[in-house]
Amino acid sequence: MTADDTSDLAARLRRSLARQLVQAGSLNDPAWRKAVESVPRELFVGGAIAGATEYGGRWQVTHRDDVSDDEWLRLVYSDTTWVTQIDRDMVENGHGILRGIPTSSSTLPGLVVQMLEAARITDGDKVIEVGTGTGYSAGLMCHRLGDSAVTSIEYDPVVAGRARQALTAAGYAPTLVIGDGLNGYDKNAEYDRLIATCSVRFIPFPWMWQVRDGGTITAPLSGWMHGSAFAHLTLTDDGTASGRFLKDDVYFMIARPHDSPPLASPYLRGEKRASRVDPNILDDQAGLFVGQLAAPSAMKLGKGDAVILLDVATGSQAGTEADPQGGWTVRQHGPLRLWDAVEDAILTWQEAGSPHQSAFGLTVTRDRQYVWLGDPDGPSWNLPA
Ligand SMILES: C[S@@+](CC[C@H](N)C(=O)[O-])C[C@H]1O[C@@H](n2cnc3c(N)ncnc32)[C@H](O)[C@@H]1O
């Protein structure tokens, strides 16, 4: 293929990706459509990409030189998350199947635009992004808002360096910061919108000072059980922020400083008693989110009938199993009765009709961050802020 053929094909694939995202309902705003049709994703994914395999935790690497130009561009413009770093090592250093946990990626374009639309970013907004990654989403924002309106922060210096190169090659020059995005970037504050393309266990306080009153924070809320909900908060002039979770089911890798410590070994003790809830409910995304609210510093092992919760802060543990006589039993030990708390939360949620995460909301004050069910005066759970 000549260079002209390659660039024609890339332009066609960009238009076709945009059409596909419109049809899927994730791209509605014509201004973002133009951005998707213009920003060359091939500059951002680098020289090698890794895709999910059917085996969890294993990733198939494709190098740019392993395939034809045509095939490479078709991969680049598929609506897929391409992992670019695993366990902090760039994918391009590996071959074949890699094992590990993704630490940076080019998120699937459908999710990137869904996020930009959910944040209600409009022309004239000044935006800060936490989690530059490959720089593709920053490129879309620069295309629409202009370089001076975009600040993006990346924790990993190698990833940030690649993003800078890609953005420069694509003709964009936002403020790029290497550092912990949980601190925001006060030099360019105040911002109209803050978006995070990594998830957080709670809203970092610097974000509250750097977004203007009436501005918004859009961030996936997650935790150590991997339950998630998509927060969209509006700041008020009394220094609080509040909002109901959005209907979109999004999951982003957790912000590095909020990641879980190494898993402890289960060591179950305590008397067996009947469980008041079916542990299988934690295999449901909304059920898992509710369980995580009740035990915010616990990690979860297992699934189905046999679930183990390990609390990092206190060493408390709980484990369930099916009872041959019917139902389930639980054993728990340690200062926190983890399963009691999970049961209470699940029963409260079930009494409300087991709704999706969008029936919950989050309020952030100076003293407390809490997730509520129904409205801010309803049942609530504190986040580990
Ligand atoms: C899913 S990727 C971002 C996708 C990206 N926006 C794109 O368009 O391709 C998440 C990124 O967040 C970064 N990250 C994690 N914790 C962070 C933090 N505390 N501050 C800034 N970046 C962080 C990771 O290194 C990773 O590159």
Side-chain angles (χ1 to χ4, degrees), residues 103-107 129 131-134 137 154-155 180-181 197 255-257:
T103 43
S104 193
S105 63
S106 178
T107 303
E129 175 190 45
T132 313
T134 60
S137 45
E154 172 55 49
Y155 197 86
D180 184 358
T197 55
R256 296 197 189 183

Side-chain angles (χ1 to χ4, degrees), residues 21-105:
L21 301 184
V22 169
Q23 278 160 8
S26 41
L27 177 55
N28 301 293
D29 183 332
W32 289 128
R33 182 174 185 159
K34 274 195 195 136
V36 172
E37 287 173 347
S38 306
V39 176
R41 194 182 187 207
E42 66 273 28
L43 295 180
F44 293 88
V45 295
I49 52 183
T53 65
E54 58 187 304
Y55 307 104
R58 294 183 196 196
W59 308 89
Q60 172 71 55
V61 179
T62 305
H63 282 257
R64 168 78 191 78
D65 299 336
D66 294 345
V67 292
S68 67
D69 291 351
D70 185 290
E71 265 178 278
W72 178 251
L73 286 175
R74 286 179 199 282
L75 288 174
V76 166
Y77 284 106
S78 57
D79 190 22
T80 306
T81 291
W82 290 120
V83 173
T84 50
Q85 197 194 48
I86 294 178
D87 290 336
R88 304 187 183 195
D89 194 11
M90 297 307 284
V91 160
E92 65 199 29
N93 297 330
H95 290 272
I97 300 279
L98 297 180
R99 289 165 191 243
I101 296 179
T103 43
S104 193
S105 63

